[in-house]
């Protein structure tokens, strides 16, 4: 399969992280979650981590310059491999910077897939979400539980609740999504790069829709 380049859009809790991992396993694409990279930087107290920490903890977006430099650096480390970005871009200036950066590298985006989910579902999904401390795999204690209650299926690591999955921070993240990220739907639609999936279904059903889109994009090359 050709090196497909994708962005997964959608509100927190829409399941795009889970689907990015599945697409990565199925198609050999490299999945990069900007939130996961940031949490690693914060844990290691790097310069980026120190710049990002207060924003991530409060549910606000990290400044565009910080995140854009970090993610364009990540593209260079892929050496031309196909990728799925989960959580980046999240603002129009980030999307413009990504478009320019990919253009300079002669490797334009194939599509932005928007994961559509009902507002009421989001709160329930985030409240029950748990992540693996070691590998970042995501679970939902109601809809997608791990086989053992406190351990990751993939790596055996301990699973925990993210500190920004608390109700007050969730409200701030949803507000950031609506005001700053939702305009990207129009951005990608204007460029005929937008694809949509109904994410109000089981992970397996959503996965088959994503698989069909990626296969179509790969075949069109
Ligand atoms: P996520 O794991 O995608 O929900 O991201 C967790 C947090 O990381 C967000 O609430 C933001 O504070 C920060 N973050 C992740 N990606 C971005 C981005 N593209 N732009 C700005 N902030 C981001």
């Amino acid at each position: 399969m050709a090196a497909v380049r994708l962005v997964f859009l959608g509100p927190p809790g829409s399941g795009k992280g889970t689907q990015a991992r599945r697409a990565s396993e199925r198609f050999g694409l490299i999945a990069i979650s900007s939130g996961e990279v940031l949490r690693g930087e914060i844990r290691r107290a790097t310069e980026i981590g120190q710049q990002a920490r207060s924003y991530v903890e409060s549910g606000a977006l990290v400044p565009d310059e910080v995140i854009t430099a970090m993610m364009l650096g990540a593209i260079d480390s892929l050496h031309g491999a196909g990728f799925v970005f989960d959580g980046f871009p999240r603002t129009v200036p980030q999307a413009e910077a990504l478009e320019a950066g990919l253009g300079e590298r002669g490797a334009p985006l194939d599509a932005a897939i928007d994961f559509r989910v009902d507002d009421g579902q989001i709160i329930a999904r985030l409240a029950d979400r748990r992540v693996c401390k070691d590998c970042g795999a995501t679970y939902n204690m109601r809809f997608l539980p791990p086989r053992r209650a406190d351990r990751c299926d993939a790596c055996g690591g301990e699973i925990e609740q993210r500190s920004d999955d608390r109700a007050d921070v969730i409200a701030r993240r949803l507000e950031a999504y609506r005001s700053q990220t939702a305009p990207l739907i129009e951005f990608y639609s204007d460029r005929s790069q937008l694809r949509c999936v109904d994410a109000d279904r089981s992970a397996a059903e959503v996965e088959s829709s994503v698989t069909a889109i990626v296969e179509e994009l790969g075949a069109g090359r």
Side-chain angles (χ1 to χ4, degrees):
M1 146 93 63
V4 177
R5 293 174 289 273
L6 300 171
V7 159
F8 280 7
L9 291 176
S14 56
K16 61 190 189 306
T18 300
Q19 296 299 335
R21 280 173 176 266
R22 292 187 179 195
S24 153
E25 282 160 21
R26 185 182 286 268
F27 296 106
L29 307 172
I30 313 284
I32 303 184
S33 149
S34 50
E36 225 172 88
V37 177
L38 283 172
R39 284 187 287 280
E41 300 278 348
I42 292 171
R43 264 199 305 277
R44 295 195 305 280
T46 61
E47 199 181 326
I48 292 179
Q50 287 172 28
Q51 288 170 325
R53 183 180 196 113
S54 61
Y55 297 98
V56 174
E57 283 177 351
S58 67
L61 294 187
V62 171
D64 288 335
E65 318 76 70
V66 174
I67 198 88
T68 299
M70 184 182 95
M71 295 303 279
L72 290 181
I75 290 177
D76 288 328
S77 70
L78 301 179
H79 305 294
F83 62 78
V84 181
F85 276 171
D86 154 25
F88 175 83
R90 251 177 161 100
T91 65
V92 170
Q94 290 178 22
E96 287 168 346
L98 176 64
E99 186 173 51
L102 290 174
E104 282 162 18
R105 290 160 179 81
L109 200 67
D110 290 292
I113 301 183
D114 184 35
F115 289 76
R116 307 222 148 160
V117 58
D118 182 70
D119 271 11
Q121 279 276 323
I122 294 174
I123 309 278
R125 288 188 186 200
L126 291 177
D128 291 326
R129 177 159 79 177
R130 299 291 182 276
V131 294
C132 172
K133 271 184 176 175
D134 295 335
C135 76
T138 304
Y139 299 94
N140 183 289
M141 300 316 274
R142 256 204 296 169
F143 309 119
L144 203 65
R147 286 192 289 272
R148 284 175 53 197
D150 56 347
R151 292 283 158 191
C152 175
D153 290 351
C155 77
E158 198 180 327
I159 59 170
E160 63 177 3
Q161 183 165 38
R162 272 171 50 176
S163 61
D164 62 348
D165 279 345
R166 292 196 327 257
D168 52 333
V169 188
I170 289 174
R172 184 99 188 258
R173 290 165 59 212
L174 286 176
E175 170 49 29
Y177 172 77
R178 286 190 191 109
S179 61
Q180 292 168 274
T181 309
L184 292 184
I185 294 171
E186 196 181 327
F187 179 95
Y188 286 114
S189 167
D190 286 348
R191 286 159 177 73
S192 303
Q193 288 177 315
L194 187 72
R195 308 295 292 259
C196 300
V197 298
D198 171 7
D200 267 331
R201 296 174 298 161
S202 72
E205 287 169 316
V206 177
E207 184 181 357
S208 63
S209 299
V210 174
T211 297
I213 293 173
V214 179
E215 282 174 346
E216 183 197 320
L217 292 169
R221 284 288 189 74

